[in-house]
Amino acid sequence: MRVLLFGIMKEIAAAGTLDIAEPLPDVGQLRAWLLQQYPAMKHLRSVMVAVNRAYAPDGQPLAPGDEIAIIPPLSGG
Amino acid sequence: MRVLLFGIMKEIAAAGTLDIAEPLPDVGQLRAWLLQQYPAMKHLRSVMVAVNRAYAPDGQPLAPGDEIAIIPPLSGG
Amino acid sequence: MEHWTRIDHSITVQEAVDFVQSPASGGIVTFTGTVRNQTQQRPVLKLFFECYEPMALLEMEKIVRAAKEKWPVQRMAILHVKGEKLPGEVVVVIAVAAAHRAAAFEACQFAIDTLKETVPIWKKEFFEDGEVWVAAHP
Amino acid sequence: MEHWTRIDHSITVQEAVDFVQSPASGGIVTFTGTVRNQTQQRPVLKLFFECYEPMALLEMEKIVRAAKEKWPVQRMAILHVKGEKLPGEVVVVIAVAAAHRAAAFEACQFAIDTLKETVPIWKKEFFEDGEVWVAAHP
């Protein structure tokens, strides 16, 4: 599973993309896995997940080939 | 007394300025005199008077040398 | 100079924004009024704007002062055209810079609303079959 | 095309107004955000904007659709920069054209408020003694 990282998440993981071998069936489990790998994430104000370029709730299943992105707190505008 | 006219008032009076010989001591009396001279004025939605470039109430006295202007309904912007 | 009032034959939103912009401001709100190509389904050929220019500039300055009393705004520009204008052309531009955008939105809307009520400018609309001073009659 | 969304290295309020302007619209409201020269009294040297570009453009389009459902607006433009920006430079422009100005003001304010909440763009501030991703931590 390929995951895109942005902003401070890119710095926390020291990578712009992650290739995750672990099977992670939904957004919630991806989030839990990331928190375990990168404990600094828990200091962020919020973290959202986008699947196929739309915000996705924790319950949303993940399929191979999905475009997954981790969205730390926004600061555009 | 010299009076500046604008917009539709200029057309009603067929003049951009009026030189009025009649003594007119305040704004209200100027307004009454104009209405008598130019009855078409009474069809206007409103008419304001400015003295020295500021809106003036009917009770305001007029002095020689004042810059007096007749302000028909505004439509700027 | 913290505000700019101007009556001219041609104005642009860019020059208003360039004036109010500063490295200390966070947001700029503008209102731009243009000539519509019709009024109540009648095609408009052109407009003519007449201004009582010295008083119009004073009334624009009063609007700036009133806005600065009501909201924490930084710099303001109020520009209005005079003379002939064709459909699509710009007739009025108001720009307001503020540290916080809510103040800029409110002050800009206040300024255009007040301009229409207090600034001595008159607009004549030309149609194929006649012409009329806008809003003159009830 | 009735709306325009764009992420680029440089944007101007004039191009946004030129896009939304039409002879059928009466009023155009814009919001322009610029780089402030300080944050809580600390001088800002520069900003860096990172965008999740394809999703950011989709979220901008959602804002346009939501605004058009809520208000009778005609044309909209939402432009945002990416990359490095210096104090005073433009980072975001929103332009809304409508027949009635109240709708244009409300839709423009809605659009910038929503953009800050939903469009995946991140801003890093550079100070003399360090750098920080804005709003990342509580």
Side-chain angles (χ1 to χ4, degrees), chain C residues 54-134:
Chain C
M55 182 173 165
L57 290 167
L58 288 175
E59 290 293 327
M60 288 175 178
E61 282 167 24
K62 282 184 192 168
I63 293 170
V64 172
R65 282 200 299 277
K68 290 193 172 189
E69 275 168 25
K70 283 171 194 274
W71 295 281
V73 300
Q74 292 163 332
R75 291 162 73 93
M76 286 183 71
I78 302 182
L79 319 180
H80 201 290
V81 297
K82 58 184 176 183
E84 270 191 23
K85 285 286 144 185
L86 300 175
E89 290 191 294
V90 174
V91 304
V92 62
V93 174
I94 293 174
V96 181
H100 300 287
R101 66 184 184 278
F105 275 104
E106 288 180 35
C108 188
Q109 192 158 10
F110 163 82
I112 181 62
D113 290 349
T114 308
L115 180 145
K116 287 172 178 272
E117 285 171 8
T118 65
V119 177
I121 299 179
W122 299 270
K123 172 165 59 188
K124 192 178 212 176
E125 285 179 331
F126 290 79
F127 304 99
E128 294 221 354
D129 57 352
E131 52 193 72
V132 63
W133 285 101
V134 175

Side-chain angles (χ1 to χ4, degrees), chain C residues 12-15 17 21-38 87-90 99-102 105 108-109 112-113 116, chain D residues 12-15 17 21-38 87-90 99-102 105 108-109 112-113 116:
Chain C
T12 68
V13 66
Q14 187 69 57
E15 66 188 342
V17 167
Q21 189 169 349
S22 83
S25 71
I28 296 163
V29 173
T30 71
F31 175 81
T32 304
T34 57
V35 181
R36 253 180 284 195
N37 56 6
Q38 56 173 14
E89 290 191 294
V90 174
H100 300 287
R101 66 184 184 278
F105 275 104
C108 188
Q109 192 158 10
I112 181 62
D113 290 349
K116 287 172 178 272
Chain D
T12 67
V13 65
Q14 187 68 57
E15 65 188 343
V17 167
Q21 188 168 351
S22 83
S25 71
I28 296 162
V29 173
T30 71
F31 176 80
T32 303
T34 58
V35 181
R36 251 180 284 196
N37 57 6
Q38 57 173 17
E89 289 190 293
V90 174
H100 300 286
R101 66 184 183 277
F105 275 104
C108 187
Q109 193 158 10
I112 180 62
D113 290 349
K116 286 172 179 272

Side-chain angles (χ1 to χ4, degrees), chain D residues 12-69:
Chain D
T12 67
V13 65
Q14 187 68 57
E15 65 188 343
V17 167
D18 289 345
F19 173 81
V20 300
Q21 188 168 351
S22 83
S25 71
I28 296 162
V29 173
T30 71
F31 176 80
T32 303
T34 58
V35 181
R36 251 180 284 196
N37 57 6
Q38 57 173 17
T39 293
Q40 292 163 337
Q41 270 86 58
R42 279 173 91 190
V44 171
L45 303 184
K46 65 174 182 181
L47 296 187
F48 175 75
F49 286 93
E50 182 172 334
C51 303
Y52 180 17
E53 205 163 319
M55 181 171 166
L57 291 167
L58 288 175
E59 290 293 327
M60 288 175 177
E61 281 166 25
K62 283 184 192 167
I63 292 170
V64 172
R65 283 200 299 276
K68 289 192 173 189
E69 275 169 26

Side-chain angles (χ1 to χ4, degrees), chain B residues 45-68:
Chain B
R45 196 164 49 80
S46 71
V47 176
M48 290 187 283
V49 176
V51 177
N52 298 326
R53 304 175 179 177
Y55 294 107
D58 278 357
Q60 184 160 326
L62 297 175
D66 279 346
E67 181 174 313
I68 300 165

